[in-house]
Amino acid sequence: MRNLTTPRLLNVSPGGDLTGYTGAKRSLIVDLKGLFAREEAFDRLVAERGRDLAYEVYEFRPDRVAPHELVFGTSTLHAGKVGDEFFMTRGHIHTRTDRPEIYFCHAGRGVMHMEAPDGNTNPIEMTPGSVVYVPSFWIHRSVNVGEGPFITTFCYPADAGQDYDIIERSGGMRTLIVEDGDGRWAEDTNPRYRPRSEAEQRRYLTERAG
Ligand code: ZN
């Protein structure tokens, strides 16, 4: 007989805590080194409060890692800015790049910033109730453009994996999410961005389903 995974009940609190999580990752402000274009502003912030929490992720991962299982979790990204850039997560593409993901916003105001391997960007603003579908092959990161914590839940195929270095290899995403001086966010060109070669793009766009 087939060995079935046991059904589970989890609970997400209004503050983004997940009961029954199986893994947690906490990133301090100092851990965000290299993400922001304004390096002197980042160093000043680290000197002031580098040990403060920047974001935390709690996830529930079923016992078996198989394409037909799902990983579910919560992400809480705290508010702040480095120069005119908003706090953001490190971001990633899935190691199996053809695996998609869903994000649901519980609290705060954020942007799901997405970039295709060819550098085409697609940032989408999220407020409580927003659901963003991150399709296969898109690099994605959360940006907090609000005043309070930006809290989301996410769900993706259990075998997706995360490649956290893809953004760093290109000098960041092609665009920065910055404050426009009027209390709103805007995309700005990232001067450090290095486009991916066509061979690299093709490699990321290869389907590895199954
Ligand atoms: Zn993801």
Side-chain angles (χ1 to χ4, degrees), residues 91-94 99-101 103 134 138 140 154-156 160-162:
H92 60 267
I93 194 168
H94 293 151
R99 301 305 198 247
E101 185 162 2
Y103 281 85
V134 179
W138 285 80
H140 46 288
F154 55 81
C155 189
Y156 58 83
Q162 283 93 12

Side-chain angles (χ1 to χ4, degrees), residues 45-114:
L45 181 67
V46 167
E48 277 171 34
R49 52 188 197 96
R51 306 299 299 172
D52 285 4
L53 204 54
Y55 65 95
E56 45 200 319
V57 175
Y58 297 91
E59 64 169 31
F60 169 73
R61 188 169 281 272
D63 304 337
R64 289 184 302 176
V65 175
H68 53 268
E69 301 282 359
L70 296 170
V71 172
F72 174 82
T74 61
S75 163
T76 299
L77 171 60
H78 295 282
K81 280 191 302 179
V82 176
D84 57 357
E85 274 185 285
F86 294 101
F87 273 16
M88 61 180 116
T89 59
R90 185 158 293 277
H92 60 267
I93 194 168
H94 293 151
T95 312
R96 289 179 185 267
T97 55
D98 58 352
R99 301 305 198 247
E101 185 162 2
I102 292 271
Y103 281 85
F104 173 84
C105 175
H106 292 268
R109 193 161 64 94
V111 168
M112 185 55 59
H113 194 14
M114 291 170 278

Side-chain angles (χ1 to χ4, degrees), residues 16-30:
D17 294 324
L18 178 68
T19 62
Y21 65 87
T22 59
K25 183 172 171 242
R26 298 177 188 87
S27 299
L28 309 179
I29 289 175
V30 67

